[in-house]
Amino acid sequence: MSRNAKINTLLLVLVAALAVIPLVFGLGDHKEEPFAGADAEAETAITELDPDYEPWFSPLYEPPSGEIESALFALQAALGAGVLAYYFGVRRGRRQGEARALERLRAETNADTDTDADADTDAEAVSERRRV
């Protein structure tokens, strides 16, 4: 197994552990909603400390149910993940394209003149300028 495969496997195990450990140990069993978000926890704490508290702002859109709110949150997370994946994919593709172009340039240069050692350094300089 390669080093990258070991790291990926370890990361998957850690993510699974983060999802399973709270369920196995019963964390949050003493609460009415054991896995409520931080917003709900903060609202509960504020109303316990100051029952007359008035919020400064109200939401622009209040979903009719918790399921719709969860679906909108999941949609937001999926869109964000898609944007990040697209960015990293484009970045990797550009890097691979530059590497292929550099290899082609080296092959053409070596085929044309075997004695010209400066061609390799010129190609590397062009590649370095493109990366910056």
Side-chain angles (χ1 to χ4, degrees):
M1 191 185 276
S2 71
R3 183 173 186 264
N4 286 340
K6 288 179 184 178
I7 290 172
N8 289 340
T9 303
L10 178 65
L11 289 174
L12 285 173
V13 168
L14 286 174
V15 167
L18 284 173
V20 171
I21 287 174
L23 298 173
V24 170
F25 289 113
L27 301 176
D29 283 346
H30 62 282
K31 297 179 182 178
E32 190 175 313
E33 291 186 45
F35 299 107
D39 292 344
E41 293 288 329
E43 185 179 346
T44 303
I46 289 170
T47 54
E48 286 177 4
L49 294 173
D50 186 10
D52 298 329
Y53 176 77
E54 289 290 325
W56 292 1
F57 301 101
S58 61
L60 296 175
Y61 171 70
E62 188 72 34
S65 69
E67 291 83 12
I68 294 175
E69 185 176 356
S70 295
L72 290 174
F73 182 75
L75 177 65
Q76 177 186 357
L79 287 172
V83 167
L84 283 175
Y86 175 78
Y87 168 75
F88 286 118
V90 166
R91 190 172 153 196
R92 182 175 183 185
R94 285 183 182 167
R95 194 175 325 132
Q96 287 176 346
E98 286 179 0
R100 288 181 187 146
L102 181 61
E103 287 175 17
R104 245 184 283 133
L105 184 62
R106 283 183 181 165
E108 289 173 3
T109 305
N110 287 340
D112 290 343
T113 58
D114 289 333
T115 59
D116 190 10
D118 292 335
D120 287 339
T121 57
D122 290 343
E124 289 175 1
V126 168
S127 176
E128 286 298 319
R129 277 189 236 130
R130 286 183 185 161
R131 281 189 214 155
V132 175

